[in-house]
Structure formats: C-alpha cells, structure tokens
Amino acid sequence: MSGKPFLRFMMFFGLCLCASMIAYIGPAEVLTKISNAYLPNIFMAVFFYLLVVLLGLIRWYAFLLLSKTPVEYKKIANIYLLNTFVSNLTPARSGDAMVPKMLSEAADVPASKSTAMLIVDRASDLLTLAILFIAASIWLVMQTNIQLPANVSMFAMPTIILIAIGLGFMVFRVKVKILAPVRLFLSETRSALNHYLSAAKLMLVIALSVANWSLHFLKEFFLFTAFLQISFIQLAVCQSISNVFILLSFVPGGVGVNVVTNSVLVQQMGLDWQAAATSGLVGTVLFTSIRLLLSLVFNRHLIR
C-alpha cells in the first residue's frame, strides 16, 4: 500500500468512527448536547488554543535563536501555521518533513538547523507526554475499576485495530523506504543539535514543552466543561492517555480516535461519556477550522 491510499484509508476510518459514534448516541441527542453547551467555556477554549499557537511560534523562534539562526518572526509564523494545518492532515504529524525546505526557501535556514529545531521541538513534547502518560495510567488504575462496557468497547476495538494497522504500515515504510535516508538525515543534523546541549538551554526547552502541554490541557478543560462536569485532574488524565493513542493510530489529526479514547476514559471515571464524545466532535471541527483559517490568513500570498 502506497502513502496516499494509506492516508485516505486512515482518514476514512477515523471519519467512520466519528459517524458511528454520532449514530450510536443519536444525532438528536448530539444536537441537544451542543445546544445546551456553555458557550463562555467554548470561547475560553478557543482563547487557550490561540495561546497554544502563539507559544508554538515562540518556541520555533527561540529554538532557532538558540541555534544561532535568527529568523524574521512573520516568516516563522507563515510556515508554522501552514505546517500546523498540514501536519493535522498527515499521519503522526509527518507533514513536518516539509518544514526544512520551506524554511530554507523563505529564510535561508540550513536544513540541518531547521531539522534539529524540529527534533528538539517534537522530542521534548514526546518526553513530556511519555511522563504524563505513565502518571495518568497509574492514576487511572488506582482510582478506577477499569472495565469496558459493551456500548463503549465496540468503539474501542476498532480503534485498537486502527493503531495496529498504522504501526504495521509505518514499520514497513521505515524498513523498506525510509531507513537509509533517515541515517543520512540524522548524521547531517548531529552538529546542529549540539547548539541545544547545555543545561540552561535544555531547561528552557523543557519549560516551553511543559507550558505547551499546560495550555493544551486548559484548552481541553474549558471545551470539556462546556458539555460536562469534570475536574482538571480527570481531564489531564484523559488527555495524557488519549494523545498517546492519537499518535500511535497514525490517523490524520487523530480524527475519531480522540472521540473514542476520551469517551472510554470518561466512562471509566463514571462521567457522561456521551457529552465527552460530543465535546470531542465539536473540538475536531472547531480547531481544524481555526487551523485552516489561520493558515489561509498568514499564507494568502500562496493562493493569489
């Protein structure tokens, strides 16, 4: 299976999960929950999402400064916002692969330095997420009696199958087509990574990653609480585990996977899983629309 059919298949599978969830809950019930949502919290969720985007821009700007490659902020904004949208349409944010070429053409940034920036950016987020995932899993095991009721497990199983298919395909692609270029790719960026290897710089990288996840959790907290009662700790547990499943599924933007995993986790906590599913569906549409709008506004010169 080549890349494009696989991408379409994974997106189709994710959309089917969303459609199945809506059909199971009932379109009328979903619309009722949306109409009863607490709008101020949705506006707060949008506000914190914009802060997430702003912090992402600041991170790229700071990381390039650390590598002694200052770039005009507007140029970074153009590329970052376009990449944010495209990466959410590709499995496991593989749209990042286009960033070195774009930074090279727009700002004369060497590919090795932009690649090193991406590695530091993503690796710090993955490390933070891994720690959060372990802590959240321990909390979930200790605080809940884990069971999968039939009405939720029928959605959980397709999600697990989806993850297995995605992992299998990516292993095949890495083994057959990607391994050799990656070795060359990493060898060329090793020296650029040395710019980040000091205690002060690593502390800054970690602090920015923690700030990023904190804002992300706040965004999701306000979105969730527009539809149901949930504590911040419970929300953080859901998001820490859900985001790992989203990454492993290789579904573009985590469409469907976020809805299913959050619904399963919320039900384990004895909360309204239908409201959580509705929150996930609304968030998917809302934040994808904002990403698209920002990308078009900052890159309108590309469509003239």
Side-chain angles (χ1 to χ4, degrees):
M1 185 184 292
S2 62
K4 288 185 179 179
F6 174 73
L7 172 60
R8 295 191 189 103
F9 169 75
M10 298 301 274
M11 177 62 82
F12 176 73
F13 203 152
L15 290 173
C16 284
L17 285 175
C18 288
S20 299
M21 186 68 81
I22 292 172
Y24 185 78
I25 297 172
E29 181 65 20
V30 171
L31 290 175
T32 298
K33 289 186 179 298
I34 291 174
S35 64
N36 292 333
Y38 187 58
L39 284 179
N41 278 19
I42 294 180
F43 287 123
M44 287 299 295
V46 171
F47 171 73
F48 276 103
Y49 178 71
L50 294 176
L51 288 183
V52 169
V53 172
L54 179 60
L55 180 61
L57 288 169
I58 292 171
R59 289 176 74 185
W60 277 26
Y61 186 77
F63 291 164
L64 286 171
L65 280 180
L66 291 179
S67 65
K68 300 179 180 178
T69 315
V71 177
E72 184 182 339
Y73 194 77
K74 187 177 184 301
K75 291 181 178 178
I76 293 179
N78 292 343
I79 296 170
Y80 176 83
L81 292 170
L82 180 59
N83 177 64
T84 298
F85 177 68
V86 173
S87 289
N88 279 273
L89 297 178
T90 53
R93 299 187 62 87
S94 54
D96 285 346
M98 72 177 187
V99 172
K101 185 175 187 300
M102 293 176 66
L103 277 173
S104 176
E105 292 178 352
D108 294 323
V109 177
S112 59
K113 290 192 174 182
S114 55
T115 302
M117 175 200 72
L118 286 172
I119 291 173
V120 170
D121 185 44
R122 300 308 179 206
S124 60
D125 276 350
L126 287 173
L127 176 61
T128 306
L129 180 59
I131 294 170
L132 290 169
F133 175 77
I134 293 170
S137 299
I138 293 172
W139 185 95
L140 190 66
V141 170
M142 294 180 65
Q143 297 293 325
T144 64
N145 180 22
I146 298 177
Q147 296 177 344
L148 283 181
N151 60 343
V152 174
S153 61
M154 68 180 186
F155 293 103
M157 288 309 297
T159 303
I160 294 170
I161 293 170
L162 194 65
I163 290 171
I165 292 172
L167 286 173
F169 176 80
M170 292 304 292
V171 168
F172 172 80
R173 295 278 289 183
V174 167
K175 184 177 180 180
V176 175
K177 296 184 177 181
I178 302 176
L179 193 55
V182 164
R183 286 174 179 164
L184 177 62
F185 185 68
L186 292 178
S187 66
E188 291 175 349
T189 59
R190 191 173 302 153
S191 60
L193 285 170
N194 289 332
H195 290 290
Y196 301 94
L197 300 181
S198 73
K201 291 178 180 179
L202 288 174
M203 288 297 293
L204 175 62
V205 168
I206 293 170
L208 288 172
S209 180
V210 171
N212 174 63
W213 283 110
S214 298
L215 289 175
H216 172 77
F217 287 168
L218 284 169
K219 173 202 72 172
E220 292 295 332
F221 176 71
F222 279 106
L223 182 63
F224 267 60
T225 53
F227 297 90
L228 72 154
Q229 292 294 321
I230 187 171
S231 72
F232 184 79
I233 294 296
Q234 289 172 320
L235 180 280
V237 168
C238 286
Q239 286 297 299
S240 298
I241 297 174
S242 175
N243 274 282
V244 171
F245 277 86
I246 288 170
L247 285 173
L248 292 178
S249 71
F250 295 96
V251 174
V255 173
V257 179
N258 61 331
V259 177
V260 172
T261 53
N262 281 319
S263 299
V264 171
L265 292 166
V266 164
Q267 187 164 32
Q268 294 303 308
M269 298 173 186
L271 303 176
D272 185 350
W273 71 270
Q274 294 181 336
T278 304
S279 171
L281 292 166
V282 170
T284 297
V285 174
L286 178 62
F287 298 129
T288 299
S289 300
I290 293 173
R291 282 191 288 268
L292 175 60
L293 179 61
L294 290 174
S295 176
L296 290 175
V297 168
F298 279 83
N299 292 278
R300 55 188 179 276
H301 60 285
L302 296 177
I303 55 177
R304 286 175 180 172

